[in-house]
């Protein structure tokens, strides 16, 4: 029986107001996401300049692009597991340091082989940062606002790509291509000290470690120590976060569905980023209009993510995300039909970004909510890693289809079909959770319209970081 007026740790975070400390955490994680987005697409901004400077053929840059994506895949897997074992803050700090140093070393490369190695290392850091900053933000977000806040934080990623494109357009003519990598390396090093000083370790992760002294210090900063009953209610710790745990206790089907959604949505995202400019140029538009169409795609993703996140918190994430993917499929299909008109191309790209890529960003928040604290970074890391294989496949698929003479209208209809596939995966996941909800008895403190995201077999238990997971 807890003392009157006292709350457990979960209730303090989930039911309390959003404090200045939490806002600082979301903002700094968002800044890390922004520099991650900048550095991820930096090579695309400067590749034409490097080709001209080195006299290299475009085909020589295939391994350079692939090395960065492969590094991102491996980084997400490795750093995701490390985040669950060693903590979000230290793992994220190390990942940021890796991609900062690798970016700063990139101007010293004088061959495509050296550039490929540096992009591989940069990719490890970039991919490795994702699971930790997503986990950290989600674990400080109140349950009622989690999709909104995590989605808004992750908007830093496409926003970083937009600012990176604009910044590169200014830096390259003035200072050369090397300045883009110097900026990409210096910005995170400027942010990192503020992050280390201001952002605490995840309070939910500390609960798994039974570090009550550290929890008390953080609750003091949240002005909530006096309301804590001294209990963390985080008993389902998995100290070594084995990947096999993603497939135990009824998680297997949901894990596979999340992987399918991430694979298809990232395939779609990188397909659009790479092939919208090609379609625009094929239809006679100049390079400026082609680049602006991609910027509209990213801006749409930012707007859509914020809108969809708010709707997801109100109506349930799987329903909102699934419907958004379906709406996005229609806009994507339309891109192949309107490439001759700049205005229509900008509009359809914005709408496609708002629904399909906005839904993909909200799927990140969905993944963070689904896995309990002891598995969250591992679950996100593996989902993002599987998604990176889709990111590699998307541009390749477009190239193969165009090489076979497929018309743009058919090409983008096929891309729209991948958005439909992602929608089906998310909607089936929602049905799975809804079915399990009907088969389980409600647990005290869990609303009848929600289900613990741990999706355990047997009686419904309050899992570590037991955020309720609406269908």
């Amino acid at each position: 029986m807890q003392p009157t007026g006292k709350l457990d740790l979960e209730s303090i975070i989930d039911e309390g107001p959003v404090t200045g400390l939490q806002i600082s955490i979301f903002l700094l994680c968002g800044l890390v996401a922004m520099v991650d987005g900048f550095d991820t697409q930096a090579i695309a901004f400067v590749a034409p300049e490097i080709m001209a400077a080195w006299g290299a053929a475009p085909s020589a840059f295939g391994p350079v692009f692939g090395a960065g994506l492969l590094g991102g895949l491996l980084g997400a897997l490795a750093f995701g597991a490390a985040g669950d074992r060693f903590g979000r803050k230290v793992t994220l700090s190390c990942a940021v340091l890796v991609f900062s140093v690798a970016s700063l070393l990139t101007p010293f490369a004088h061959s495509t082989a050296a550039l490929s190695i540096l992009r591989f290392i940069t990719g490890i850091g970039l991919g490795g940062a994702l699971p930790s900053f997503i986990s950290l933000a989600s674990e400080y977000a109140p349950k009622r606002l989690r999709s909104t806040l995590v989605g808004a934080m992750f908007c830093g990623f496409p926003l970083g790509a937009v600012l990176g494109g604009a910044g590169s357009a200014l830096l390259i003519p003035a200072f050369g291509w090397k300045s883009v990598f110097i900026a990409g390396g210096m910005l995170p090093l400027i942010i990192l000290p503020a992050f280390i000083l201001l952002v605490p370790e995840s309070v939910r992760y500390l609960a798994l470690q039974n570090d009550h002294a550290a929890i008390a210090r953080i609750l003091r900063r949240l002005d909530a120590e006096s309301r804590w009953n001294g209990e963390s209610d985080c008993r389902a710790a998995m100290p070594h976060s084995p990947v096999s745990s993603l497939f135990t206790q009824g998680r297997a089907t949901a894990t596979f569905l999340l992987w399918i959604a991430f694979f298809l949505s990232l395939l779609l995202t990188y397909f659009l980023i790479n092939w919208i400019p090609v379609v625009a140029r094929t239809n006679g538009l100049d390079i400026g209009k082609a680049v602006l169409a991609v910027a509209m795609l990213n801006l749409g993703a930012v707007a859509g993510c914020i809108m969809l996140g708010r709707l997801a918190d109100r109506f349930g994430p799987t329903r909102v995300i699934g419907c958004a993917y379906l709406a996005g499929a229609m806009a994507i299909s339309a891109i192949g039909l309107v490439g001759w008109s700049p205005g229509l191309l900008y509009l359809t790209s914005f709408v496609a970004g708002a629904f399909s890529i906005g839904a993909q960003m909200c799927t990140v928040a969905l993944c963070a909510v689904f896995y309990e604290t002891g598995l969250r970074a591992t679950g996100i890391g593996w989902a993002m890693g599987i998604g990176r294989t889709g990111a590699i496949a998307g541009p390749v698929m477009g190239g193969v289809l165009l090489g076979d003479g497929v018309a743009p209208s058919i090409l983008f209809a096929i891309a729209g079909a991948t958005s439909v596939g992602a929608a089906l995966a998310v909607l089936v996941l929602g049905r799975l959770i809804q079915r399990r909800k009907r088969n389980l008895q409600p647990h005290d403190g869990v609303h009848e319209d929600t289900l613990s995201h741990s999706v355990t077999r047997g009686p419904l238990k309050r899992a570590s970081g037991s955020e309720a997971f609406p269908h």
Side-chain angles (χ1 to χ4, degrees):
M1 188 78 179
Q2 68 182 32
T4 304
K6 299 287 187 178
L7 301 172
D8 64 26
L9 181 61
E10 297 299 317
S11 298
I12 288 174
I13 299 296
D14 286 340
E15 299 172 14
V18 178
T19 67
L21 174 61
Q22 288 162 292
I23 292 172
S24 297
I25 293 168
F26 303 140
L27 287 175
L28 283 165
C29 286
L31 286 174
V32 173
M34 188 178 297
V35 296
D36 199 314
F38 178 100
D39 278 353
T40 294
Q41 295 193 23
I43 190 64
F45 304 142
V46 302
E49 297 295 322
I50 301 176
M51 291 176 197
W54 293 356
S59 59
F61 270 70
V64 175
F65 297 141
L69 292 171
L70 178 61
L73 187 159
L74 298 177
L77 302 183
F79 278 84
D84 281 332
R85 184 163 189 178
F86 302 111
R88 312 333 185 188
K89 182 176 178 178
V90 65
T91 305
L92 178 55
S93 300
C94 290
V96 170
L97 193 60
V98 167
F99 75 72
S100 298
V101 172
S103 183
L104 290 172
L105 290 175
T106 300
F108 295 99
H110 295 288
S111 68
T112 54
L115 189 59
S116 296
I117 293 170
L118 287 167
R119 288 308 297 173
F120 176 77
I121 298 171
T122 304
I124 289 175
L126 293 171
L130 288 168
S132 290
F133 69 66
I134 294 168
S135 297
L136 189 59
S138 72
E139 287 163 3
Y140 275 103
K143 180 174 62 180
R144 67 186 183 278
L145 296 172
R146 189 162 293 128
S147 294
T148 300
L149 292 173
V150 175
M153 177 277 301
F154 198 58
C155 284
F157 193 90
L159 189 57
V162 172
L163 295 177
S168 297
L170 297 173
L171 287 171
I172 292 173
F175 305 106
W177 65 267
K178 296 181 179 181
S179 62
V180 175
F181 292 107
I182 293 172
M186 289 302 299
L187 286 172
L189 289 182
I190 293 171
I191 295 169
L192 190 56
F195 176 85
I196 292 172
L197 287 172
L198 297 177
V199 175
E201 179 55 85
S202 162
V203 72
R204 298 182 196 269
Y205 172 81
L206 291 171
L208 293 183
Q209 310 306 307
N210 292 315
D211 193 341
H212 282 227
I215 294 171
R217 287 194 297 270
I218 294 170
L219 292 180
R220 199 171 304 131
R221 295 177 65 186
L222 292 170
D223 196 25
E225 186 182 14
S226 62
R227 294 187 285 121
W228 186 34
N229 65 2
E231 297 178 8
S232 63
D233 202 14
C234 288
R235 295 185 289 269
M238 284 163 275
H240 301 297
S241 60
V243 176
S244 60
S245 295
L246 301 177
F247 303 96
T248 59
Q249 295 182 298
R251 300 185 191 93
T253 302
T255 291
F256 279 123
L257 288 169
L258 284 168
W259 285 8
I260 292 169
F262 270 91
F263 176 86
L264 292 174
S265 61
L266 281 173
L267 181 154
L268 175 67
T269 298
Y270 282 83
F271 174 94
L272 294 175
I273 289 170
N274 282 273
W275 294 110
I276 283 178
V278 172
V279 170
R281 295 290 286 150
T282 302
N283 283 280
L285 302 183
D286 61 40
I287 189 62
K289 291 183 175 66
V291 171
L292 183 56
V294 175
M296 293 300 292
L297 182 79
N298 282 309
L299 288 174
V302 173
C305 181
I306 294 172
M307 174 189 71
L308 295 173
R310 195 72 189 108
L311 291 173
D313 281 327
R314 183 171 182 180
F315 299 108
T318 57
R319 184 181 295 122
V320 170
I321 293 170
C323 291
Y325 276 127
L326 291 174
M330 293 185 285
I332 292 164
S333 299
I335 292 174
L337 301 173
V338 302
W340 52 271
S341 167
L344 291 175
L345 180 61
Y346 301 156
L347 176 62
T348 52
S349 295
F350 183 88
V351 175
F355 286 104
S356 283
I357 301 183
Q360 182 259 313
M361 294 164 63
C362 287
T363 306
V364 171
L366 174 67
C367 189
V369 172
F370 178 75
Y371 292 110
E372 58 265 41
T373 303
L375 276 176
R376 183 167 292 118
T378 299
I380 294 171
W382 274 81
M384 296 299 291
I386 296 298
R388 293 280 177 155
T389 64
I392 296 169
V396 173
M397 181 187 79
V400 170
L401 292 173
L402 283 175
D404 288 341
V406 174
S409 58
I410 303 299
L411 185 70
F412 280 85
I414 294 171
T418 65
S419 191
V420 173
L424 293 176
V426 172
L427 291 172
V428 170
L429 175 62
R431 295 290 294 176
L432 170 69
I433 294 169
Q434 190 176 31
R435 188 180 306 117
R436 295 195 67 82
K437 178 187 66 178
R438 289 196 297 265
N439 294 335
L440 295 171
Q441 293 295 323
H443 182 277
D444 290 342
V446 179
H447 191 275
E448 64 180 0
D449 290 332
T450 59
L451 175 66
S452 171
H453 62 268
S454 56
V455 197
T456 54
R457 291 190 176 95
L460 179 61
K461 299 179 181 178
R462 189 173 179 89
S464 66
S466 55
E467 301 89 337
F469 180 61
H471 60 76

